[in-house]
Amino acid sequence: MQLIKEWFKRGFILPATAVCALSVPISTAQAAFVNYSFIGSIDNDPQALSPISGSFQFDNATGGSGGVYNGAVTGFTLNLSGLYTSSFKLGANAVTISKNITLGGGNGDRWELSSAATGSNLNGFTAYDFDLRLDRVGGGLFANTDLQNPPSLNGLNGVTGRWRLFFEDANGNPAVFLGSITSLTAVPLPAAVLLFGAGLISLVGLGAGGLRNIRGVRA
């Protein structure tokens, strides 16, 4: 917690108005409800001494229109170096799929998660919003704006994923932590792998049953 306080004192937390757009990728999983975990870093920490980790739950069967899917996020957590934790709070908690929008470096596509946030008071500031953006400058990230799983980080043409955690004090003055994401993973395994494993277990069970029957006949 002392390190986080030092970031506030030294100005490592930027005014919210100075924050630029975020970008991030991920591997897909073919299930309606999927947990994702991610790891990354905090800006203004060039030696990566303060890694971040987190997770979110995503329901890719959520209804919506115009590329906006409210309620698609059912939970998230963000751990800042083990010194501060923010987590899910009831709110819009939406995923937005955008094509051909203005991004840093030109037009492109974006997969964005936004969730209401909560956490303990930090130097008079309280977390209220978290977002995660996966951008691809030049487009080609999606065929349409239907709700879909996060894209792979490998498909973001060299741009790192970006995250932001917003704070405000009692007077509504904002501040923000921001940084990059280096890994985004679906947990548990994709449904196809789980089905394969279930099938394998079934085959083993059938084999064991067959052996019992053979032994019974021989007896």
Side-chain angles (χ1 to χ4, degrees), residues 167-188:
F167 293 80
E168 65 180 2
D169 64 14
N171 297 317
N173 298 311
V176 62
F177 277 119
L178 69 162
S180 299
I181 289 182
T182 56
S183 173
L184 182 59
T185 308
V187 181

Side-chain angles (χ1 to χ4, degrees), residues 56-81:
F56 62 87
Q57 298 161 358
F58 168 58
D59 183 354
N60 64 11
T62 304
S65 61
V68 180
Y69 302 90
N70 291 323
V73 184
T74 57
F76 97 92
T77 61
L78 181 68
N79 188 308
L80 304 180
S81 310

Side-chain angles (χ1 to χ4, degrees), residues 12-84:
F12 283 0
I13 297 183
L14 306 180
T17 53
V19 177
C20 58
L22 309 179
S23 325
V24 183
I26 235 186
S27 57
T28 60
Q30 303 302 317
F33 184 82
V34 188
N35 291 336
Y36 286 89
S37 63
F38 59 88
I39 59 176
S41 60
I42 301 173
D43 283 3
N44 297 306
D45 182 21
Q47 295 182 325
L49 298 176
S50 306
I52 64 100
S53 61
S55 64
F56 62 87
Q57 298 161 358
F58 168 58
D59 183 354
N60 64 11
T62 304
S65 61
V68 180
Y69 302 90
N70 291 323
V73 184
T74 57
F76 97 92
T77 61
L78 181 68
N79 188 308
L80 304 180
S81 310
L83 302 173
Y84 183 83

